[in-house]
Amino acid sequence: METLQKNKFDALTGMRAVAAIMVFVYHNRKYWRNDLPFEMMRFISEWHVGVTVFFVLSGFLLAYRYEEKPLDSGKSYLKYILLRIARIFPLYWILLSAFFLDTSYSKDVKTYFLQYSLFYSLFEKYSVSGIVQAWSLTVEFFFYLLSPLLFLLLKKSWRYCILFLIGFFLLGWGIGYGLKELNGNLNGFLFPLKFMVGSTFFGRSSEFFFGMLLAYLMKKESGIKFLHKIKKPTLWGGLAILILIFAIRFFARNNFVHGVERWEGRLIHELFLPIGIVIFFWGLMSEKTWISKVLSTKFFVLLGNASFVFYLIHLSYFNMKLKSFIYLPDRNFVLLWICSIIIYLLIEKPLYELCRKGIAKI
């Protein structure tokens, strides 16, 4: 544990950069559809799992850092939530405001409240509007709200936590289906089921759960002993991730769909892939391998810290605006990373530090 504290999970921070790169490649795969073999394209078409890496990592880090402590009092929970808001909203609001001010890009988007509140991604009709990829921030924020309670339930029994998440899933499904029966649910609020499962916390909660489970095991002496029984976790966790991505891709019929669109692929994605990611994470923290060394370098840690910015600008408004000025053969990959690092150092990080100091005074 002393070693884990000393490196402050640097390799996990570097892993955020890898996840962001996977999502970038996934979103640009259309450019290589006619050049790469079908089997390779099917594999790349599942690189959306970079988002799963982010979700599992969030589950681990929040549970490891906060546990159920925010539930100690109303004030502690308020400060916890405000810190979480400060983590994701300021930069998102800045980019969204630039999008709305540039009416040549935003003229057809009028759902201002839904966009600024992130509620837009709970509606299928609006889920591909505004800063499209910010749907995952809504999923994250639902987890932020529930994380302390989930960890409390996990400490009492993993069964309680699982039952709560199943109940939460059924609640989401019931609301969406109920509105469909009541008034047609024309905007697709938590409906249809495929949308709810793939794009909301109601359907993606298992990814956070497995990250929390890793934190729980690391907090217990018996849990650490169990984890140490896993031999070469970096190797076997990494292989498991690759094998499971290959397994998911078998359910894709062509280059234009995903394996997770079939229930078999979705089941692998939600129940088995997070386990492989958790084992790999444990390997990054407990073993000294060339992978952990590379991901722990200052370069990858910097990319990892800037990965949130990269995720928000690699697609949608910022990316489209950048393309209107310059469009390089690498799809602006390097240029987007340079912009991300600059925005992280000059805007995101100072803004968060300012918010954090203000929240500490409450």
Side-chain angles (χ1 to χ4, degrees):
M1 292 298 291
E2 184 179 347
T3 303
L4 297 181
Q5 293 291 347
K6 186 177 180 182
N7 66 27
K8 298 179 181 178
F9 311 117
D10 283 347
L12 295 185
T13 301
M15 188 62 197
R16 288 167 57 88
V18 176
I21 292 169
M22 290 179 71
V23 175
F24 176 88
V25 173
Y26 162 72
H27 281 140
N28 285 275
R29 70 196 187 285
K30 60 185 178 182
Y31 298 112
W32 309 306
R33 190 169 277 137
N34 298 320
D35 300 321
L36 293 178
F38 172 56
E39 295 303 322
M40 178 62 72
M41 278 303 304
R42 280 210 300 185
F43 180 59
I44 294 175
S45 288
E46 304 305 333
W47 280 23
H48 55 80
V49 301
V51 175
T52 301
V53 173
F54 281 123
F55 287 168
V56 175
L57 186 56
S58 289
F60 168 72
L61 292 175
L62 256 71
Y64 192 86
R65 180 177 179 183
Y66 291 104
E67 301 184 44
E68 78 282 11
K69 293 183 181 69
L71 299 179
D72 290 345
S73 68
K75 183 178 180 180
S76 61
Y77 185 76
L78 174 63
K79 292 176 73 171
Y80 159 78
I81 288 299
L82 288 176
L83 279 171
R84 295 298 92 204
I85 290 174
R87 178 67 186 87
I88 64 174
F89 275 95
L91 181 64
Y92 169 67
W93 283 336
I94 290 171
L95 291 172
L96 187 63
S97 296
F99 168 71
F100 277 125
L101 289 171
D102 194 341
T103 54
S104 61
Y105 287 88
S106 60
K107 58 185 177 182
D108 297 323
V109 182
K110 305 299 180 184
T111 51
Y112 302 109
F113 172 75
L114 291 178
Q115 297 291 335
Y116 276 99
S117 65
L118 282 176
F119 287 159
Y120 82 97
S121 64
L122 297 177
F123 298 83
E124 187 191 34
K125 180 179 179 180
Y126 308 123
S127 61
V128 291
S129 61
I131 311 296
V132 177
Q133 66 273 33
W135 68 268
S136 66
L137 303 189
T138 313
V139 181
E140 286 266 358
F141 198 70
F142 265 83
F143 173 65
Y144 294 164
L145 292 171
L146 295 171
S147 172
L149 173 61
L150 292 174
F151 197 82
L152 178 64
L153 293 172
L154 183 59
K155 284 183 71 174
K156 290 184 178 296
S157 171
W158 63 268
R159 295 178 182 85
Y160 292 153
C161 194
I162 291 290
L163 286 173
F164 179 89
L165 293 176
I166 291 174
F168 203 69
F169 171 83
L170 293 175
L171 173 65
W173 178 80
I175 292 172
Y177 187 78
L179 288 174
K180 172 67 175 178
E181 293 297 308
L182 181 66
N183 58 20
N185 200 355
L186 299 179
N187 293 328
F189 182 70
L190 300 179
F191 191 86
L193 182 62
K194 182 184 290 187
F195 165 72
M196 190 202 78
V197 168
S199 302
T200 73
F201 180 76
F202 296 91
R204 305 287 296 256
S205 61
S206 62
E207 297 162 47
F208 296 92
F209 168 77
F210 284 106
M212 295 181 73
L213 186 60
L214 175 60
Y216 171 75
L217 291 173
M218 288 174 59
K219 291 283 185 177
K220 291 188 65 176
E221 186 175 344
S222 59
I224 282 288
K225 288 181 179 178
F226 170 77
L227 290 171
H228 278 299
K229 290 181 181 179
I230 304 173
K231 303 300 182 183
K232 298 183 178 180
T234 309
L235 173 63
W236 295 116
L239 283 176
I241 293 170
L242 291 174
I243 291 169
L244 290 167
I245 295 175
F246 265 96
I248 293 170
R249 70 187 258 286
F250 280 118
F251 299 103
R253 300 185 308 277
N254 54 53
N255 285 346
F256 299 90
V257 297
H258 307 93
V260 290
E261 293 180 31
R262 289 267 299 272
W263 70 266
E264 301 96 332
R266 178 58 66 180
L267 193 66
I268 295 170
H269 182 272
E270 297 302 324
L271 297 183
F272 299 104
L273 180 63
I275 296 174
I277 294 172
V278 161
I279 294 172
F280 185 69
F281 282 178
W282 170 243
L284 292 181
M285 291 184 286
S286 63
E287 290 185 303
K288 289 185 177 180
T289 63
W290 68 267
I291 296 177
S292 65
K293 289 177 182 177
V294 169
L295 293 178
S296 298
T297 58
K298 291 182 179 180
F299 176 70
F300 264 94
V301 169
L302 176 61
L303 293 184
N305 285 327
S307 63
F308 177 62
V309 181
F310 183 84
Y311 180 76
L312 282 182
I313 71 171
H314 86 281
L315 192 66
S316 302
Y317 174 67
F318 188 98
N319 184 41
M320 291 188 294
K321 195 69 176 177
L322 187 63
K323 283 181 180 179
S324 69
F325 293 107
I326 182 171
Y327 193 33
L328 301 173
D330 65 350
R331 314 296 171 188
N332 284 348
F333 175 73
V334 174
L335 186 57
L336 282 165
W337 270 116
I338 293 171
C339 292
S340 299
I341 292 170
I342 292 171
I343 294 171
Y344 166 71
L345 293 175
L346 298 184
I347 300 176
E348 186 203 357
K349 186 177 180 181
L351 260 180
Y352 178 71
E353 288 300 318
L354 185 65
C355 293
R356 189 175 62 82
K357 289 177 182 177
I359 294 168
K361 296 177 181 177
I362 296 176

